[in-house]
Amino acid sequence: MGLQELCRLMSRFNSYKRTNIILQHLKMSNHTDAAAEVLLERKGCAGVITLNRPRFLNTLSLGMIRQIYPQLKKWEQDPKTFLIIIKGAGGKAFCAGGDIRALSEARNTNQKMLQDFFREEYILNNAIDSCQKPYIALIHGITMGGGVGISVHGQFRVATEKSVFAMPETAIGLFPDVGGGYFLPRLQGKLGYFLALTGFRLKGRDVYTAGIATHFVDSEKLGMLEEDLLALKSPSKENIADVLETYHAKVINKMSPTSLKITLRQLMEGSSKTLPEVLIMEYRLSQACMKGHDFHEGVRAEGNGIPPQCSCLENLRDGGALWAAVCGITQSRTRLKRLSSSSSSVLLGLCC
């Protein structure tokens, strides 16, 4: 073999070697991209699942399901893992559902993928429901379809003012799956039926009020909540629930104590009065509020976007005495005379 022929063979070998390296790199790159769709980390006392497809609103793919399920089962058996947290990356969505575009595209090319996706997704839903470790879903942002399936079956679901919940499957020729037939009819009244048939979106605090979420937390405090959960030392379910309750924002705590007490008494009194009598009562209450502190403070705070500094009524525990104090009248005058339902009689009463 001549030198020229040897050089030609070496050149071909080097070219083949470079091509092989490039192919290996591409395979590694594809694997890395797939792995990055979901982040599985041990942090403090918890296993943390981060859905990491923010560009696609963290839609759930088969590859993500196949990574989450085995890790969930491992953490469930791990004595050093005391809770599991699942959240979405990007701030806009927790999980906007399953990757329906990929499913539709697989119709003519990969029928097995269609079977595998739904079967393994439902297995994951059931595993979350039966998980022996406290499972906390931070459903901040869009939470729909498949995203509901990996959150609503957990023990704790934390909504924020930016949460958007929906089961919109009937709009795309599907049905509200991922256990929708279980949790939707168990919502109060017929709300679940309405959500399933219309795809109606619940937003913010309504997600909690409807029973989808177990807690409501202001989004600006969500990071602190997660840090406090991770910092727990060998926590029990009760310890975890206590932390969540500490952050749970109760609307009533933001209201004027004066307004809360007189409103409760207003409704109790109004339940047995005629409309004219109620209007007379409410006129007197309105004038008492105009002379008080909380209304003007509330308007000022609302305009400046800050919490109001309302009056403290810790020492006024008797509803009757409070009612008389706010109205500026004695108990003997709170009993209103019966008037006819004519508008002139109402006006006459308001002027009394």
Side-chain angles (χ1 to χ4, degrees):
M1 181 182 295
L3 181 61
Q4 188 174 5
E5 184 69 17
L6 180 62
C7 289
R8 187 163 46 250
L9 288 174
M10 287 295 294
S11 177
R12 289 180 179 177
F13 175 76
N14 289 335
S15 178
Y16 170 79
K17 188 176 179 181
R18 284 194 301 270
T19 301
N20 195 43
I21 291 173
I22 291 171
L23 289 172
Q24 288 181 358
H25 175 75
L26 288 172
K27 289 179 181 179
M28 291 175 63
S29 176
N30 289 335
H31 176 75
T32 302
D33 289 344
E37 288 184 341
V38 58
L39 307 178
L40 305 167
E41 305 168 280
R42 263 296 307 275
K43 294 183 178 180
C45 64
V48 180
I49 303 167
T50 305
L51 308 176
N52 194 38
R53 299 181 74 195
R55 285 181 56 199
F56 304 99
L57 301 179
N58 298 321
T59 49
L60 196 63
S61 68
L62 179 57
M64 295 165 73
I65 293 169
R66 286 177 170 173
Q67 291 181 71
I68 294 171
Y69 177 77
Q71 188 61 62
L72 179 70
K73 302 306 287 185
K74 287 179 182 178
W75 281 334
E76 189 175 12
Q77 300 301 320
D78 179 14
K80 295 181 180 179
T81 302
F82 291 87
L83 65 146
I84 297 165
I85 298 172
I86 185 168
K87 60 182 181 177
K92 190 173 182 180
F94 166 70
C95 175
D99 192 343
I100 56 175
R101 187 172 299 279
L103 290 174
S104 184
E105 290 173 353
R107 175 185 180 184
N108 298 320
T109 59
N110 191 353
Q111 284 288 326
K112 187 175 184 301
M113 184 267 207
L114 300 180
Q115 299 169 4
D116 291 346
F117 180 88
F118 286 103
R119 182 179 63 253
E120 294 181 38
E121 182 185 27
Y122 297 170
I123 290 172
L124 176 59
N125 298 154
N126 187 66
I128 291 169
D129 177 69
S130 61
C131 185
Q132 298 302 303
K133 300 287 176 72
Y135 184 95
I136 305 166
L138 305 181
I139 51 176
H140 173 66
I142 299 169
T143 305
M144 298 183 182
V148 176
I150 56 173
S151 58
V152 76
H153 300 299
Q155 186 173 5
F156 300 109
R157 291 92 62 191
V158 180
T160 74
E161 74 279 3
K162 296 182 180 179
S163 295
V164 179
F165 167 93
M167 295 296 286
E169 287 82 0
T170 54
I172 58 169
L174 198 60
F175 63 94
D177 62 337
V178 295
Y182 177 81
F183 72 85
L184 287 170
R186 285 168 171 77
L187 298 179
Q188 291 185 356
K190 298 296 183 181
L191 176 61
Y193 293 76
F194 173 73
L195 295 174
L197 294 170
T198 66
F200 185 84
R201 297 184 178 190
L202 294 176
K203 298 180 181 180
R205 189 174 289 276
D206 289 343
V207 179
Y208 165 73
T209 305
I212 303 298
T214 58
H215 295 81
F216 181 87
V217 174
D218 293 331
S219 60
E220 61 184 16
K221 297 180 180 178
L222 204 58
M224 292 186 289
L225 167 61
E226 184 178 351
E227 289 177 5
D228 283 355
L229 288 170
L230 297 177
L232 291 171
K233 304 297 183 184
S234 304
S236 64
K237 290 183 180 180
E238 291 72 22
N239 298 145
I240 295 166
D242 287 345
V243 172
L244 290 168
E245 194 62 27
T246 299
Y247 280 88
H248 178 57
K250 298 179 177 65
V251 173
I252 204 165
N253 290 344
K254 300 179 180 180
M255 304 305 180
S256 158
T258 304
S259 292
L260 288 173
K261 291 194 175 185
I262 66 173
T263 298
L264 178 59
R265 182 65 183 272
Q266 169 205 10
L267 299 180
M268 293 169 64
E269 293 280 336
S271 65
S272 59
K273 293 183 183 301
T274 65
L275 175 59
E277 289 174 333
V278 167
L279 292 174
I280 294 169
M281 172 180 69
E282 291 178 357
Y283 175 76
R284 290 174 174 169
L285 286 172
S286 73
Q287 297 311 295
C289 288
M290 293 305 102
K291 295 175 183 177
H293 166 270
D294 284 9
F295 172 75
H296 302 288
E297 169 60 17
V299 172
R300 182 196 68 81
E302 179 76 15
N304 295 323
I306 59 175
Q309 301 297 317
C310 294
S311 302
C312 180
L313 294 180
E314 290 181 354
N315 297 324
L316 284 173
R317 300 188 182 278
D318 179 69
L322 175 64
W323 185 261
V326 171
C327 292
I329 55 178
T330 62
Q331 282 295 307
S332 62
R333 291 183 60 196
T334 58
R335 182 170 303 195
L336 302 172
K337 60 184 178 180
R338 286 195 173 277
L339 300 171
S340 70
S341 60
S342 67
S343 59
S344 59
S345 296
V346 173
L347 291 174
L348 178 63
L350 291 178
C351 294
C352 292

